[in-house]
Amino acid sequence: VIEIGIIGHGFMASAHARAWTIAPQVFDLELTPHVAVLAGRDPHRTAAAASRLRIDQSSSNWREVIADDRVQVIDVCTPVDSHAEIVSAALAAGKHVLCEKPLSLNTAESARLAAAAEIAHSRGVVAMVGYNYRRVPALQVARSLCQDGDIGRIRQIRMRYLQDWLVASEAPWSWRLDAKQAGAGALGDIGSHLIDLAQFLIDDPLESVVASAGTAVHRRPTSSGSELREVTVDDTCSFLAVSVDGARCSFETSRLALGRKNQLQVEIDGERGSLAFDLERLNELQLYTADRPIALRGFRTILVTEPSHPYMSGWWPPGHVLGWHDTFVNQARDFIAAVAAGQSPRPSFEDAHYVQVVIEAVQRSADEGSWQAVRWPDTRVIPIRSNGALGPGTNA
Amino acid sequence: VIEIGIIGHGFMASAHARAWTIAPQVFDLELTPHVAVLAGRDPHRTAAAASRLRIDQSSSNWREVIADDRVQVIDVCTPVDSHAEIVSAALAAGKHVLCEKPLSLNTAESARLAAAAEIAHSRGVVAMVGYNYRRVPALQVARSLCQDGDIGRIRQIRMRYLQDWLVASEAPWSWRLDAKQAGAGALGDIGSHLIDLAQFLIDDPLESVVASAGTAVHRRPTSSGSELREVTVDDTCSFLAVSVDGARCSFETSRLALGRKNQLQVEIDGERGSLAFDLERLNELQLYTADRPIALRGFRTILVTEPSHPYMSGWWPPGHVLGWHDTFVNQARDFIAAVAAGQSPRPSFEDAHYVQVVIEAVQRSADEGSWQAVRWPDTRVIPIRSNGALGPGTNA
Amino acid sequence: VIEIGIIGHGFMASAHARAWTIAPQVFDLELTPHVAVLAGRDPHRTAAAASRLRIDQSSSNWREVIADDRVQVIDVCTPVDSHAEIVSAALAAGKHVLCEKPLSLNTAESARLAAAAEIAHSRGVVAMVGYNYRRVPALQVARSLCQDGDIGRIRQIRMRYLQDWLVASEAPWSWRLDAKQAGAGALGDIGSHLIDLAQFLIDDPLESVVASAGTAVHRRPTSSGSELREVTVDDTCSFLAVSVDGARCSFETSRLALGRKNQLQVEIDGERGSLAFDLERLNELQLYTADRPIALRGFRTILVTEPSHPYMSGWWPPGHVLGWHDTFVNQARDFIAAVAAGQSPRPSFEDAHYVQVVIEAVQRSADEGSWQAVRWPDTRVIPIRSNGALGPGTNA
Amino acid sequence: VIEIGIIGHGFMASAHARAWTIAPQVFDLELTPHVAVLAGRDPHRTAAAASRLRIDQSSSNWREVIADDRVQVIDVCTPVDSHAEIVSAALAAGKHVLCEKPLSLNTAESARLAAAAEIAHSRGVVAMVGYNYRRVPALQVARSLCQDGDIGRIRQIRMRYLQDWLVASEAPWSWRLDAKQAGAGALGDIGSHLIDLAQFLIDDPLESVVASAGTAVHRRPTSSGSELREVTVDDTCSFLAVSVDGARCSFETSRLALGRKNQLQVEIDGERGSLAFDLERLNELQLYTADRPIALRGFRTILVTEPSHPYMSGWWPPGHVLGWHDTFVNQARDFIAAVAAGQSPRPSFEDAHYVQVVIEAVQRSADEGSWQAVRWPDTRVIPIRSNGALGPGTNA
């Protein structure tokens, strides 16, 4: 058994708690996770959440949880602005850390945390960030197809993540709309997933970006309705990018796309094959390959529920589809396996730092209205390529 | 009967010729179009095309055709670089003109042609450009929904036009890959459709753009295979834009999107409704509206084949779908109706000039790597809004 | 030039007339079809239709048309009850015949017509029935995949043709609802297409059938609304069948399927591959094959618009989709080619007679509430197989 | 806490065990389920399963589990042939029972069990059958639309459940292929789901049926490969039916439909609306309604993940989709709620008996090759309606 302390008691804490419970029933794990304690600022709400999630103990002091000798893993499910402090303390205390995404408010924090994780790693401590869509089986298949060369050199990727919960002017204010607590808006919350996924899929960092971001509603009522609060983040952000290897990329995020509930879509165009994926149909992967007579080619819908698909041997027979939450169970498995092996799991804090570096470049671009270099690897500053942005006749 | 002279004998000339033939069988037309003559540079190939298209007469001299007293309409289906000369001559001769898109190589030409059309119009001459996708019934329904306020204020549009005929390095060179003959590549050929459609749908011009364009293969074999020729246009071009009324827009064009054959997609997000369309399923329109209990909302697929749908009363019973070419028949109807009424049809040369103005802004942006104002209306230069490009917290 | 006389002036006559016009522009034909005359009972309406369809001459006497020496092809587009007389006269006069489907009211007629066509054929006369869906390129690809063994032995087929124009009780009466004029209802009108297509695709006749048919609304107003008339045909008819080679088949037809406008769907399950098709997306064919690692299998959507696809070399570039009517153009091509070659085209009158034989077995089954043998080939009566219908543990 | 004993240790036992674990984390339950013991014939495999599923105790004697005073619920996940004995004993011992579907091998057993459940119910004992698809939120919405009259009188339903795990001749024999252990094949295993769902959705029992069933491969190798065993059940079974209220129904089941992994599809045509559902996309419901201008009608895809949708308030934010297994969690909630309320939950044993009655009618029909009455309610024998099967012009 490996004892876990969850910090936070919101929606994400529930998702994690359920995953820790289910994972050992689905997979043969080297260690059996057990959530020992749930921590949150408000004692009453924390206790209520613990009770609902069948966690025996609750605490209103996360430092206590980190100090608890039984607890081996700190699972951080709090708003973004508290990540740095909690994670630092946990690593310093020699605890393994799973931190929800995005890792931090900015690159200063994420750089520091990545460095701390690296040091901690040398002492056998494992740290990972909760970009759970890496654990969608269909996206693991997609990655293999990209990495193994099956679809050839990648020429273009198109990614988008669209939601609609801010369409109405009356949609309530929350911490996610406050730049201080959330860092960024759609870009940070859902755009971070896209940036991480792109890197996961094609393993080719972005080199330069140009962005357009906006906020449609500037003041929103608090949940109680008693006052209006300032919205200080973007509710829509799109950007174009060129990767180091020259792939043309487009990214779109929005909380204003009426009718799109949680629509993360990925399209990758290679020289010999193409892929498409939609999170609202997360068991399906679209694959087009050019290895047939042209008269028989087409995008095929692979139902990613076969025992030979990633993660699926632990789940159900073919055709018995997974849901959104099951990606957290897969994530729990991978985290436990990493702890058991003492190996650093992906996405690492370094991976998450990369995401922050891109986010900052995008924000800079949106602020300044110009192409921006992604300063990665961050030890050196990469100038925009001379053909960065990039008229007809050029070739990036 | 109204006599037509077609200039050009390629794929587009075929599409037009068939449409002139069919239109009077489908619709009650005020005038019956008849193609009197087909003109083309090469006498043999022109004669062969005329014979195949059941056109009695062919000519290797387009000036003769314009000079022919019988001919009332000049239908220009030649490569882009010849449009300006032919169209100018036709208008000067008092002939009605239908010109294939894009209208011109550049804004200098399109401005001149638009002015000429305006003058000609005062003499009862009608001029139109062949952006035929305006004649897709589903897109006419989409426009009505946008214009009538059914979907509320438009907040975002996403448009793309993807093809894959240049994926292989061995795909042959053609005039479409030569900047001198074609003006631009994917941007001019298929991007022009997107720009025109966006304007048609939401009637809100683009104000500023930022683009990323590239060419993957720089030299391609001629059809005969005997030599390699330079590719001097983009084969992929994406751009972000902000409209005058503040809609956030993204546009993507590519000839490298493996598996996408002719995939023009449109998505429009309004405050009260959203739309989606795919040219590969051109009889279908997706509509989401917020006027139901949320539990029963969803994108609905309207099969646009009812007699009450635009153009459809002339066609077939419900469910009997139209094809790509039928949009040319619809276009022919609208052109003939305009001639009969002596009214200026849309898309006018002015509309087409607007498309060229946007294309040039996009090209400038791709060349210079920066946001560019769309200089429209072109009598004045609009500066980029101070919040043009547009960090979190701003509102365009 | 080959001169054609069309008998009938309704919706189908329009579809045929346009096809004769267009076919020679699309395909290189050995003979150029030309519609010389349109015949119909009512002189005024016939003349109006002829004018709309750009046919120079009209007639109110079809016998005159058959007697006309110029006319080489009689194209029969009248209600079903007149087919036998007109077709017989045309064949007797040595005219080539294209007859709309279904060929006849009953098997007595179709047997007689098939015999007449066989005799006429020995004199060089060609006869074909207008089951136009054989001319959908995607279904031609489907047939090849079945015939060439690509999908292995066929185990199951599921076909359906759903419409909704009779859902409302106020939908008006027409000749299609009268058993005397139409023979059967949904079964005869749209079910006949399914029966013909099944045979076209798998070349394996049905051996026995069991059916369920019904009529929901028994009296409907005439178009004028002045009176109610009796509906004497089925508006919904489903049947199960077993083919001679043991394929399990299901067929469903309905005019009551609200929201289904013209939804002909086909699914074929083979031992090594499966197919699916939907007429509302007629350019697409779904194909699943078992010749890949299972992790990469899936139904692929082939966009049947490549030059290498059947008929497509005459049409447009890849991705430029065909519509419903274009199948008539393809049909016209095949008919003309058959005439030019003096070869008997398919679907022959014999093929259409087979359809009638199945229809009658289905009607018998619906009337008597029992499995019925399909008496085909009709020279002998086939008993239902002892294991015809066919408990667990049996194998047909 | 309410203590549960699971009998069985296969795939279904896993699905149930995980659901008992998760349900109290998702929903506020009146009682917290806890699995006290897992029973199975083979002690080693049972112990291994218990360990994997985090169940503290295992047993090789199910009678012991029933006799265990702590255990309040017996959850039966064994092959069908053992249901009757175990369930009877459990009810006799006053235990609540959740039994996997189908309830029994035949109607004799199900009648007896339904009677026993009724008697037990009078003593406060609750019994339910695991037709879990009643717990798909989208299907609950579908039922409401049918029951509330939103789609008008139901005229037709089409249901199918297709799998492909028996396509290959080498697919191994299992107890599911043995009539003695399984009762029926595709019909009993997946067809039973369809029959139950149809009743759940439209609340209108089937009155008469006619079926076609078959077995393609008669001998299959055992898993070890050492011998061939007889397949004594159908691997494909289709039937047509007419409901008491006159709805025309078709049902198809197959284990030979290559490429269809677990494809349960439902289509319901009403006079004012239509529905469609596909289990492979279980979060989506298709709805067509006739309450709009015809030009704006279409099937809309409702993503059934809103808090106002059945069950969803306990789950995730909109757009975060459920998986197949989550239906078992919903089922666990409903069962616990029923136990807490002392109310008889649905589907009751009586509901499951109805399914068996239909199955037997279908089997009789397949054996005898004729329409069969569904003897329901089973206290009287209903003759086939005189217009049972049912020629053109009749109206059922």
Side-chain angles (χ1 to χ4, degrees):
Chain A
V1 172
I2 180 167
E3 296 289 345
I4 295 165
I6 297 178
I7 320 294
H9 59 70
F11 150 50
M12 268 300 147
S14 294
H16 283 233
R18 294 186 203 171
W20 294 123
T21 308
I22 285 298
Q25 293 193 17
V26 177
F27 299 110
D28 282 330
L29 300 180
E30 298 81 352
L31 297 163
T32 303
H34 177 257
V35 181
V37 54
L38 183 80
R41 234 166 282 183
D42 180 319
H44 294 293
R45 293 170 65 192
T46 307
S51 156
R52 185 169 39 83
L53 296 170
R54 315 292 139 182
I55 299 169
D56 290 336
Q57 195 184 330
S58 71
S59 162
S60 60
N61 182 346
W62 58 262
R63 293 184 194 278
E64 252 177 37
V65 175
I66 289 177
D68 185 334
D69 278 351
R70 287 174 315 164
V71 170
Q72 297 162 270
V73 173
I74 298 297
D75 180 2
V76 184
C77 298
T78 54
V80 184
D81 61 339
S82 62
H83 285 184
E85 190 180 10
I86 299 171
V87 166
S88 298
L91 290 174
K95 308 288 166 144
H96 306 296
V97 174
L98 172 60
C99 182
E100 254 310 306
K101 45 61 56 184
L103 178 57
S104 66
L105 288 172
N106 51 52
T107 56
E109 280 183 9
S110 59
R112 194 156 41 81
L113 294 175
E118 203 175 333
I119 293 164
H121 184 62
S122 67
R123 302 196 316 267
V125 170
V126 146
M128 189 170 107
V129 180
Y131 285 110
N132 60 304
Y133 296 140
R134 291 193 179 213
R135 269 73 197 190
V136 173
L139 289 172
Q140 295 247 342
V141 174
R143 176 179 152 87
S144 297
L145 289 164
C146 291
Q147 298 299 314
D148 299 351
D150 291 309
I151 63 168
R153 187 180 165 188
I154 309 298
R155 278 179 161 169
Q156 298 169 151
I157 70 175
R158 293 177 295 279
M159 301 187 76
R160 68 190 214 175
Y161 202 153
L162 305 178
Q163 299 180 335
D164 72 354
W165 54 284
L166 289 184
V167 168
S169 311
E170 321 83 56
W173 192 92
S174 80
W175 68 266
R176 292 180 184 277
L177 307 187
D178 179 18
K180 283 192 193 121
Q181 285 177 274
L187 172 62
D189 182 20
I190 53 183
S192 61
H193 270 303
L194 297 187
I195 297 164
D196 180 67
L197 260 189
Q199 180 62 5
F200 172 67
L201 290 167
I202 70 168
D203 236 339
D204 174 17
L206 302 184
E207 186 181 276
S208 55
V209 297
V210 70
S212 172
T215 307
V217 178
H218 288 274
R219 279 186 168 69
R220 289 183 180 273
T222 53
S223 311
S224 66
S226 57
E227 56 170 326
L228 287 175
R229 280 214 199 141
E230 201 80 27
V231 174
T232 52
V233 297
D234 57 293
D235 44 31
T236 174
C237 179
S238 297
F239 59 100
L240 304 177
V242 181
S243 77
V244 169
D245 284 349
R248 304 268 156 188
C249 311
S250 74
F251 295 83
E252 303 205 69
T253 64
S254 179
R255 292 161 167 175
L256 300 174
L258 188 59
R260 314 289 177 177
K261 297 302 172 181
N262 198 38
Q263 194 182 63
L264 187 166
Q265 291 185 335
V266 179
E267 293 182 0
I268 300 178
D269 300 339
E271 285 186 342
R272 293 203 306 275
S274 293
L275 297 169
F277 170 82
D278 181 342
L279 185 65
E280 289 181 356
R281 291 175 174 173
L282 68 82
N283 296 276
E284 303 175 16
L285 180 68
Q286 307 281 334
L287 169 64
Y288 180 99
T289 55
D291 59 351
R292 302 259 185 162
I294 200 161
L296 296 181
R297 289 181 199 164
F299 276 92
R300 92 185 76 134
T301 303
I302 302 169
L303 193 63
V304 186
T305 57
E306 296 294 324
S308 57
H309 286 133
Y311 300 109
M312 294 310 297
S313 60
W315 291 99
W316 313 108
H320 293 69
V321 297
L322 296 194
W324 172 81
H325 179 257
D326 298 329
T327 61
F328 288 89
V329 181
N330 295 342
Q331 176 177 273
R333 184 197 79 163
D334 290 350
F335 185 81
I336 293 294
V339 169
Q343 281 176 349
S344 194
R346 306 287 293 269
S348 66
F349 280 25
E350 187 74 6
D351 292 323
H353 175 47
Y354 164 76
V355 174
Q356 298 302 135
V357 169
V358 175
I359 286 174
E360 277 193 5
V362 171
Q363 288 182 311
R364 251 183 2 255
S365 173
D367 287 342
E368 300 180 14
S370 61
W371 280 85
Q372 294 289 327
V374 175
R375 291 172 185 146
W376 182 263
D378 59 357
T379 49
R380 59 191 175 93
V381 174
I382 307 166
I384 299 186
R385 292 168 165 213
S386 58
N387 63 350
L390 313 212
T394 69
N395 181 13
Chain B
V1 173
I2 179 167
E3 295 290 344
I4 295 165
I6 297 179
I7 320 294
H9 59 68
F11 149 51
M12 269 299 148
S14 295
H16 284 232
R18 293 185 203 171
W20 294 123
T21 309
I22 283 299
Q25 294 193 16
V26 176
F27 299 110
D28 281 331
L29 300 180
E30 298 82 351
L31 297 163
T32 302
H34 177 256
V35 181
V37 55
L38 183 80
R41 232 166 286 182
D42 180 318
H44 294 292
R45 292 170 65 193
T46 306
S51 155
R52 186 169 37 83
L53 297 169
R54 315 290 140 184
I55 300 168
D56 290 338
Q57 194 184 333
S58 71
S59 161
S60 60
N61 182 348
W62 57 262
R63 293 184 193 278
E64 252 177 37
V65 175
I66 290 177
D68 185 334
D69 278 349
R70 286 175 314 163
V71 171
Q72 296 161 270
V73 173
I74 298 296
D75 179 3
V76 183
C77 299
T78 54
V80 184
D81 61 338
S82 61
H83 286 184
E85 190 180 10
I86 299 171
V87 166
S88 300
L91 290 174
K95 309 287 166 144
H96 306 297
V97 174
L98 171 60
C99 181
E100 252 312 304
K101 42 66 53 184
L103 178 58
S104 66
L105 288 172
N106 51 52
T107 56
E109 280 183 9
S110 57
R112 194 155 43 81
L113 294 176
E118 204 176 331
I119 293 164
H121 183 63
S122 66
R123 302 194 317 267
V125 169
V126 145
M128 189 171 105
V129 180
Y131 286 109
N132 60 303
Y133 296 141
R134 292 192 179 214
R135 270 71 198 192
V136 174
L139 289 171
Q140 295 246 344
V141 175
R143 176 178 152 87
S144 297
L145 289 164
C146 291
Q147 298 300 315
D148 299 350
D150 292 309
I151 64 168
R153 187 181 164 188
I154 309 298
R155 278 180 160 167
Q156 297 169 152
I157 70 174
R158 294 177 294 281
M159 301 188 77
R160 66 190 215 177
Y161 202 152
L162 304 179
Q163 298 181 334
D164 73 355
W165 54 284
L166 289 184
V167 168
S169 311
E170 321 82 56
W173 191 92
S174 79
W175 67 267
R176 293 180 184 277
L177 307 186
D178 179 17
K180 282 191 194 122
Q181 287 177 274
L187 173 61
D189 182 19
I190 53 184
S192 61
H193 270 302
L194 298 187
I195 296 164
D196 179 67
L197 260 189
Q199 179 62 5
F200 172 67
L201 291 167
I202 69 168
D203 235 339
D204 173 17
L206 302 184
E207 185 180 278
S208 56
V209 296
V210 69
S212 173
T215 307
V217 177
H218 289 272
R219 277 185 168 69
R220 291 183 178 275
T222 51
S223 310
S224 65
S226 58
E227 55 169 326
L228 288 174
R229 279 214 199 141
E230 201 80 26
V231 173
T232 53
V233 297
D234 57 295
D235 44 31
T236 173
C237 178
S238 297
F239 60 101
L240 305 176
V242 181
S243 78
V244 169
D245 284 348
R248 304 268 156 188
C249 312
S250 74
F251 295 83
E252 302 205 68
T253 64
S254 179
R255 292 162 166 173
L256 299 174
L258 188 59
R260 315 289 177 177
K261 297 302 171 182
N262 198 37
Q263 193 182 63
L264 187 165
Q265 292 185 336
V266 178
E267 293 182 1
I268 300 178
D269 300 340
E271 283 186 344
R272 293 202 307 274
S274 292
L275 298 169
F277 171 80
D278 182 342
L279 185 64
E280 289 180 355
R281 291 175 174 172
L282 68 81
N283 297 276
E284 303 175 17
L285 179 68
Q286 307 281 334
L287 170 64
Y288 180 99
T289 56
D291 59 351
R292 302 261 185 161
I294 199 161
L296 295 181
R297 290 182 198 162
F299 277 93
R300 94 185 75 131
T301 303
I302 303 168
L303 194 62
V304 186
T305 56
E306 297 293 325
S308 56
H309 285 133
Y311 300 108
M312 294 309 298
S313 60
W315 292 99
W316 314 107
H320 292 68
V321 297
L322 296 195
W324 172 81
H325 179 256
D326 299 329
T327 62
F328 288 88
V329 181
N330 295 342
Q331 175 177 274
R333 184 198 78 164
D334 291 351
F335 184 82
I336 294 294
V339 168
Q343 281 175 348
S344 193
R346 307 285 295 269
S348 65
F349 280 23
E350 186 73 6
D351 293 323
H353 175 47
Y354 163 76
V355 174
Q356 298 302 134
V357 169
V358 175
I359 286 175
E360 276 193 6
V362 171
Q363 287 182 313
R364 247 178 10 250
S365 173
D367 287 342
E368 300 180 13
S370 60
W371 281 84
Q372 294 290 326
V374 175
R375 290 169 186 150
W376 182 262
D378 60 356
T379 49
R380 57 191 175 93
V381 174
I382 305 166
I384 299 185
R385 294 170 162 208
S386 59
N387 62 351
L390 312 212
T394 69
N395 182 14
Chain C
V1 172
I2 178 167
E3 296 290 345
I4 294 166
I6 297 179
I7 320 293
H9 60 70
F11 149 51
M12 269 300 145
S14 294
H16 283 233
R18 294 186 203 169
W20 295 123
T21 310
I22 284 299
Q25 295 193 16
V26 177
F27 299 109
D28 281 331
L29 300 181
E30 297 82 351
L31 298 162
T32 302
H34 177 257
V35 181
V37 55
L38 183 79
R41 234 167 283 182
D42 179 317
H44 294 292
R45 294 170 64 193
T46 305
S51 156
R52 184 169 38 82
L53 297 169
R54 314 293 137 183
I55 300 169
D56 291 335
Q57 192 184 334
S58 72
S59 161
S60 60
N61 182 347
W62 58 261
R63 292 183 194 280
E64 252 175 38
V65 175
I66 289 177
D68 186 333
D69 278 349
R70 288 173 316 162
V71 171
Q72 295 162 270
V73 173
I74 297 297
D75 180 2
V76 183
C77 299
T78 53
V80 184
D81 60 338
S82 61
H83 286 184
E85 190 179 9
I86 300 171
V87 166
S88 298
L91 291 174
K95 309 288 166 146
H96 306 296
V97 174
L98 172 59
C99 181
E100 254 311 307
K101 45 62 54 186
L103 179 58
S104 66
L105 289 172
N106 51 52
T107 55
E109 280 182 10
S110 59
R112 196 155 41 83
L113 294 175
E118 205 176 330
I119 292 163
H121 183 63
S122 66
R123 302 195 315 267
V125 170
V126 147
M128 189 170 106
V129 179
Y131 285 108
N132 60 303
Y133 295 140
R134 291 193 178 213
R135 269 73 197 190
V136 173
L139 289 173
Q140 296 246 342
V141 174
R143 176 179 152 88
S144 295
L145 289 163
C146 291
Q147 298 300 315
D148 298 351
D150 292 308
I151 63 168
R153 186 181 164 187
I154 309 299
R155 278 181 161 166
Q156 297 169 152
I157 69 176
R158 293 177 294 281
M159 302 187 77
R160 67 190 215 176
Y161 202 152
L162 304 179
Q163 299 181 334
D164 72 355
W165 52 285
L166 289 184
V167 168
S169 311
E170 321 81 59
W173 192 92
S174 81
W175 69 267
R176 291 180 186 277
L177 307 187
D178 179 17
K180 281 190 194 125
Q181 284 177 276
L187 173 62
D189 182 19
I190 54 183
S192 61
H193 270 303
L194 298 187
I195 297 164
D196 180 67
L197 261 188
Q199 179 62 4
F200 172 66
L201 291 166
I202 70 169
D203 235 338
D204 174 16
L206 303 184
E207 186 181 277
S208 55
V209 296
V210 70
S212 173
T215 307
V217 178
H218 289 273
R219 279 186 167 65
R220 292 184 177 274
T222 52
S223 310
S224 65
S226 58
E227 54 168 327
L228 288 176
R229 281 216 197 140
E230 201 80 26
V231 174
T232 51
V233 298
D234 57 294
D235 44 30
T236 174
C237 178
S238 297
F239 59 100
L240 306 176
V242 182
S243 78
V244 169
D245 284 350
R248 304 266 156 190
C249 311
S250 74
F251 295 83
E252 302 204 69
T253 64
S254 179
R255 291 162 166 173
L256 299 174
L258 188 60
R260 315 289 176 177
K261 298 302 174 185
N262 199 36
Q263 193 183 61
L264 187 166
Q265 291 184 337
V266 178
E267 293 181 1
I268 300 178
D269 301 340
E271 284 186 343
R272 293 203 306 275
S274 292
L275 299 168
F277 171 82
D278 182 343
L279 185 65
E280 289 180 356
R281 291 175 173 172
L282 68 82
N283 295 275
E284 303 175 17
L285 179 68
Q286 307 281 334
L287 170 63
Y288 180 100
T289 54
D291 59 351
R292 301 259 185 164
I294 198 161
L296 295 180
R297 290 183 198 162
F299 276 92
R300 95 184 73 133
T301 303
I302 303 168
L303 195 62
V304 186
T305 57
E306 297 293 326
S308 57
H309 286 133
Y311 300 110
M312 294 310 298
S313 60
W315 292 99
W316 314 107
H320 293 67
V321 296
L322 297 195
W324 172 81
H325 179 256
D326 299 329
T327 61
F328 288 89
V329 181
N330 295 343
Q331 174 177 275
R333 183 197 78 163
D334 290 350
F335 184 81
I336 293 295
V339 168
Q343 281 175 350
S344 193
R346 307 286 296 264
S348 65
F349 279 25
E350 186 74 7
D351 292 325
H353 175 47
Y354 164 76
V355 174
Q356 298 302 134
V357 169
V358 175
I359 286 175
E360 276 193 6
V362 170
Q363 288 181 312
R364 249 184 0 254
S365 174
D367 288 341
E368 300 179 13
S370 61
W371 281 85
Q372 294 289 328
V374 175
R375 290 171 186 148
W376 182 264
D378 60 357
T379 47
R380 59 192 173 93
V381 174
I382 306 166
I384 299 183
R385 290 170 166 209
S386 58
N387 64 349
L390 332 193
T394 69
N395 183 16
Chain D
V1 172
I2 179 167
E3 296 290 346
I4 294 164
I6 297 179
I7 320 293
H9 60 70
F11 151 49
M12 269 298 146
S14 294
H16 284 233
R18 293 185 203 171
W20 295 123
T21 308
I22 283 299
Q25 294 192 19
V26 177
F27 299 109
D28 281 331
L29 300 181
E30 298 81 352
L31 298 162
T32 303
H34 177 258
V35 181
V37 54
L38 183 80
R41 232 166 283 183
D42 179 317
H44 295 292
R45 293 169 65 191
T46 306
S51 156
R52 186 168 38 83
L53 297 169
R54 314 292 140 183
I55 300 169
D56 289 336
Q57 195 184 331
S58 71
S59 163
S60 61
N61 182 348
W62 57 263
R63 294 184 192 276
E64 252 176 37
V65 175
I66 290 178
D68 186 333
D69 278 349
R70 288 174 315 165
V71 171
Q72 295 162 270
V73 173
I74 297 297
D75 180 0
V76 183
C77 298
T78 53
V80 184
D81 61 337
S82 62
H83 285 184
E85 189 180 10
I86 299 171
V87 166
S88 299
L91 291 174
K95 308 289 167 145
H96 305 296
V97 173
L98 171 59
C99 181
E100 254 310 307
K101 46 61 54 184
L103 178 59
S104 66
L105 289 172
N106 52 52
T107 56
E109 280 183 10
S110 59
R112 194 156 41 83
L113 294 175
E118 205 177 331
I119 292 164
H121 184 62
S122 64
R123 302 195 316 268
V125 170
V126 146
M128 189 170 106
V129 179
Y131 285 108
N132 60 304
Y133 295 140
R134 291 192 179 213
R135 269 73 197 190
V136 173
L139 289 173
Q140 296 246 341
V141 174
R143 175 180 153 87
S144 297
L145 290 164
C146 292
Q147 298 298 316
D148 300 350
D150 291 308
I151 63 168
R153 185 180 165 190
I154 309 299
R155 278 180 161 166
Q156 297 170 151
I157 69 176
R158 294 175 294 281
M159 302 188 76
R160 67 190 215 176
Y161 201 151
L162 304 179
Q163 300 181 333
D164 73 354
W165 52 284
L166 289 184
V167 168
S169 311
E170 320 82 58
W173 192 93
S174 81
W175 68 266
R176 290 179 186 276
L177 307 187
D178 179 17
K180 281 192 193 123
Q181 285 177 275
L187 173 62
D189 182 20
I190 53 184
S192 61
H193 270 303
L194 298 187
I195 296 164
D196 180 66
L197 260 188
Q199 179 62 5
F200 172 67
L201 291 167
I202 69 167
D203 237 338
D204 174 17
L206 303 184
E207 187 180 275
S208 55
V209 296
V210 69
S212 172
T215 307
V217 178
H218 289 273
R219 280 184 167 69
R220 290 184 179 275
T222 52
S223 310
S224 65
S226 58
E227 55 168 327
L228 289 174
R229 280 215 199 142
E230 201 81 25
V231 173
T232 52
V233 298
D234 57 294
D235 44 31
T236 174
C237 178
S238 298
F239 59 100
L240 305 175
V242 181
S243 78
V244 169
D245 285 348
R248 304 268 154 189
C249 312
S250 73
F251 295 84
E252 302 205 69
T253 65
S254 178
R255 293 161 166 173
L256 299 175
L258 189 60
R260 315 289 176 176
K261 297 302 174 184
N262 198 37
Q263 193 183 62
L264 187 166
Q265 292 184 336
V266 178
E267 293 181 0
I268 300 179
D269 299 340
E271 284 185 343
R272 292 203 305 275
S274 292
L275 299 168
F277 171 82
D278 181 342
L279 185 65
E280 289 180 356
R281 291 173 173 175
L282 67 83
N283 297 275
E284 303 175 15
L285 180 67
Q286 308 281 334
L287 170 63
Y288 180 100
T289 55
D291 59 351
R292 303 258 185 164
I294 200 161
L296 295 180
R297 289 183 198 162
F299 276 92
R300 94 185 74 132
T301 303
I302 303 169
L303 194 62
V304 186
T305 57
E306 296 295 324
S308 57
H309 285 134
Y311 300 109
M312 294 310 297
S313 60
W315 292 99
W316 314 107
H320 293 69
V321 296
L322 296 195
W324 171 81
H325 179 257
D326 299 330
T327 61
F328 287 88
V329 181
N330 294 344
Q331 175 177 275
R333 184 197 78 163
D334 290 350
F335 185 81
I336 293 295
V339 168
Q343 281 176 349
S344 193
R346 308 285 296 267
S348 66
F349 279 24
E350 187 72 6
D351 292 324
H353 175 48
Y354 164 76
V355 174
Q356 298 303 134
V357 169
V358 175
I359 287 175
E360 277 193 6
V362 170
Q363 288 181 312
R364 249 184 0 255
S365 173
D367 287 341
E368 299 180 14
S370 61
W371 281 84
Q372 294 289 327
V374 176
R375 290 169 187 151
W376 183 263
D378 60 356
T379 48
R380 59 191 174 93
V381 174
I382 306 166
I384 301 184
R385 291 170 165 210
S386 58
N387 63 349
L390 317 206
T394 69
N395 182 15

